[in-house]
């Protein structure tokens, strides 16, 4: 089974062919929850600048990188974490990375009342002064892309194209990460993963990956590769879309292999419901059979009660247990 490649230019240009695009997106979401997009019109030069600056960042010394360590980001949950600090299902991932989000200054009302995951980003301004603007510009264009893809997803469910925008994503929660999976010298019996099996938490993930490979997607019981495709993004649906569609669009487990040949860079952007949104099932969609026992975390996305922020904080706390103690205690 292959992951489909969908040219979304009609969706971007708002031409009548967008309904056919929506049809293809719907099919991909019902089949395995993963698809590539091309024709997205995200500026290539901007992407190349992002790649170049990200490489420069990860090649700084650990001391330099730790100047923007996540504990300095406090409640906003931003900044750098070194290899081994992030856990999936309780086990350390073989990756380092930086967390970004919407850039909000200390004067912002939500920041003033200490809303978790809201605040200013941490950038390596001394070492790589251009990084800040390039990251913020990239996030802006992927956010716009996210709105477009969600219009396609709404159409694929026979909903008004602004269904998600009106209810959940007028102000989406944006989480943007840049990961480096460093080349690992094999000297252990332990099974190592770049990222262990998991599903994403929110609505939609838009992933840029370099040409190293290693991303794998679980199709029923089989793992298939999601190899790099030039100037494409890999899209996958998260737990909240699974919940909204009563399981019709499942959030699909995926993982990343440990890298033994060279470093791998990836850039996942999580386009998620507003932090304060109560995520509900779409009217007129029937709840499908529970998949809890098959899920990696043995929990049900359909039983959860609360806001998206509540859901996310519970999940993120498992991923960074130490930070949780510092920040939320
Ligand atoms: O690095 C990748 O290709 C995927 C990362 C991922 O699955 C995640 O951060 O949720
Ligand atoms: Fe993921």
């Amino acid at each position: 089974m292959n992951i489909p490649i969908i040219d979304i230019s009609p969706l971007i240009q708002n031409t009548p062919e967008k309904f056919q695009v929506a049809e293809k997106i719907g099919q991909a979401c019902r089949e395995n929850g993963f698809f590539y997009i091309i024709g997205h019109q995200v500026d290539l030069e901007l992407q190349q600048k992002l790649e170049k600056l990200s490489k420069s960042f990860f090649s700084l010394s650990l001391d330099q990188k730790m100047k923007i360590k996540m504990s300095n980001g406090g409640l906003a949950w931003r900044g750098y974490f070194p290899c081994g600090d992030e856990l999936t299902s309780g086990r350390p991932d073989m990756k380092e990375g930086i967390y970004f989000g919407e850039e909000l200054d200390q004067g912002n009302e939500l920041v003033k009342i200490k809303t978790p995951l809201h605040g200013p980003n941490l950038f390596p301004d001394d070492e790589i002064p251009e990084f800040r603007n390039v990251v913020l510009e990239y996030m802006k264009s992927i956010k716009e892309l996210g709105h477009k893809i969600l219009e396609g997803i709404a159409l694929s469910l026979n909903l008004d194209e602004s269904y998600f925008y009106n209810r959940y994503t007028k102000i989406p929660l944006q989480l943007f990460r840049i990961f480096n999976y460093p080349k690992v010298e094999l000297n252990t019996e332990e099974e190592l993963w770049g990222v262990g099996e998991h599903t994403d938490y929110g609505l939609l993930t838009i992933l840029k990956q370099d040409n190293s490979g290693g991303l794998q997607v679980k199709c029923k019981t089989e793992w298939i590769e999601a190899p790099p495709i030039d100037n494409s993004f890999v899209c996958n649906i998260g737990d909240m879309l699974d919940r909204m569609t009563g399981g019709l669009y499942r959030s699909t487990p995926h993982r990343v292999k440990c890298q033994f040949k060279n470093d791998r860079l990836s850039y996942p952007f999580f386009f998620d419901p507003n932090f304060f949104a109560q995520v509900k099932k779409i009217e007129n969609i029937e709840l499908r059979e529970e998949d809890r026992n098959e899920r990696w975390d043995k929990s049900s996305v359909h039983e959860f009660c609360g806001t998206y922020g509540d859901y996310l904080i519970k999940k993120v706390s498992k991923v960074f247990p130490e930070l949780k103690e510092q920040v939320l205690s």
Side-chain angles (χ1 to χ4, degrees):
M1 189 182 256
N2 278 334
I3 298 169
I5 303 169
I6 304 176
D7 181 351
I8 62 160
S9 25
L11 205 52
I12 305 284
Q13 286 150 5
N14 201 19
T15 58
E17 289 77 27
K18 70 181 179 185
F19 293 99
Q20 278 132 304
V21 174
E23 185 65 35
K24 288 184 194 156
I25 292 178
Q27 199 180 346
C29 290
R30 284 187 296 272
E31 273 168 14
N32 58 18
F34 265 79
F35 51 97
Y36 290 91
I37 54 166
I38 55 171
H40 46 71
Q41 283 161 34
V42 175
D43 189 45
L44 197 53
E45 210 177 304
L46 176 64
Q47 294 188 56
Q48 286 160 348
K49 277 191 210 157
L50 181 70
E51 285 165 27
K52 183 170 159 273
L53 298 175
S54 304
K55 276 191 198 141
S56 309
F57 176 76
F58 289 114
S59 57
L60 295 174
S61 70
L62 186 60
D63 280 353
Q64 284 172 312
K65 290 186 272 195
M66 289 300 269
K67 279 166 71 179
I68 57 159
K69 61 178 188 272
M70 282 185 82
S71 50
N72 296 352
L75 212 52
W77 237 301
R78 309 287 166 89
Y80 171 75
F81 69 89
C83 195
D85 265 24
E86 182 164 332
L87 311 179
T88 302
S89 299
R91 300 184 59 174
D93 291 335
M94 290 298 109
K95 66 177 192 315
E96 59 179 334
I98 330 176
Y99 274 52
F100 301 102
E102 188 181 2
E103 176 69 14
L104 299 171
D105 63 31
Q106 300 293 355
N108 177 281
E109 289 308 315
L110 294 176
V111 180
K112 276 204 232 158
I113 60 166
K114 298 197 182 333
T115 313
L117 294 142
H118 289 66
N121 286 298
L122 302 180
F123 290 105
D125 288 328
D126 293 339
E127 288 78 11
I128 311 176
E130 316 93 297
F131 205 32
R132 171 184 290 268
N133 281 342
V134 169
V135 167
L136 293 176
E137 214 186 307
Y138 180 81
M139 288 183 65
K140 188 165 166 248
S141 60
I142 303 295
K143 182 180 86 170
E144 293 315 314
L145 179 61
H147 283 302
K148 284 287 172 194
I149 301 169
L150 274 178
E151 282 176 20
I153 292 179
L155 292 176
S156 79
L157 290 160
N158 293 324
L159 300 167
D160 183 87
E161 65 189 344
S162 50
Y163 181 93
F164 296 106
Y165 183 86
N166 291 341
R167 288 165 181 76
Y168 299 109
T169 59
K170 207 167 282 162
I171 305 175
L173 192 75
Q174 306 167 54
L175 301 174
F176 175 47
R177 295 165 189 175
I178 305 180
F179 292 140
N180 179 41
Y181 300 80
K183 178 181 169 205
V184 170
E185 307 291 342
L186 190 61
N187 61 359
T188 165
E189 290 291 292
E190 215 186 327
E191 196 183 10
L192 297 175
W193 288 99
V195 185
E197 173 178 350
H198 68 283
T199 55
D200 294 344
Y201 313 140
L203 269 177
L204 172 73
T205 306
I206 305 170
L207 171 88
K208 170 181 167 60
Q209 60 172 336
D210 73 6
N211 55 17
S212 307
L215 175 62
Q216 297 183 326
V217 178
K218 198 175 193 175
C219 282
K220 312 257 180 324
T221 55
E222 193 192 341
W223 285 96
I224 61 168
E225 302 288 326
I229 296 179
D230 256 5
N231 198 15
S232 72
F233 294 97
V234 179
C235 294
N236 66 281
I237 55 181
D239 293 345
M240 293 302 109
L241 199 55
D242 192 327
R243 177 183 172 84
M244 288 176 193
T245 60
L248 180 63
Y249 291 6
R250 285 259 200 255
S251 55
T252 306
H254 51 284
R255 65 187 184 191
V256 176
K257 288 198 279 193
C258 198
Q259 300 291 312
F260 297 115
K261 285 207 188 105
N262 45 264
D263 289 11
R264 170 181 188 264
L265 268 82
S266 78
Y267 312 78
F269 184 101
F270 303 89
F271 186 91
D272 289 356
N274 184 269
F275 189 80
F276 299 101
Q278 296 273 349
V279 177
K280 300 198 184 91
K281 192 169 69 59
I282 298 164
E283 315 81 48
N284 306 328
I285 288 193
E286 244 175 70
L287 185 64
R288 296 177 98 213
E289 211 178 292
E290 275 289 3
D291 63 343
R292 179 208 311 244
N293 291 330
E294 288 155 38
R295 271 180 64 94
W296 64 289
D297 55 1
K298 305 284 179 239
S299 64
S300 166
V301 290
H302 303 285
E303 257 172 22
F304 170 78
C305 187
T307 62
Y308 178 58
D310 296 332
Y311 185 79
L312 189 63
I313 287 170
K314 248 175 53 191
K315 292 283 189 187
V316 177
S317 310
K318 284 198 188 129
V319 173
F320 285 106
E322 276 174 32
L323 207 61
K324 173 191 164 197
E325 275 162 34
Q326 271 178 30
V327 171
L328 298 179
S329 55

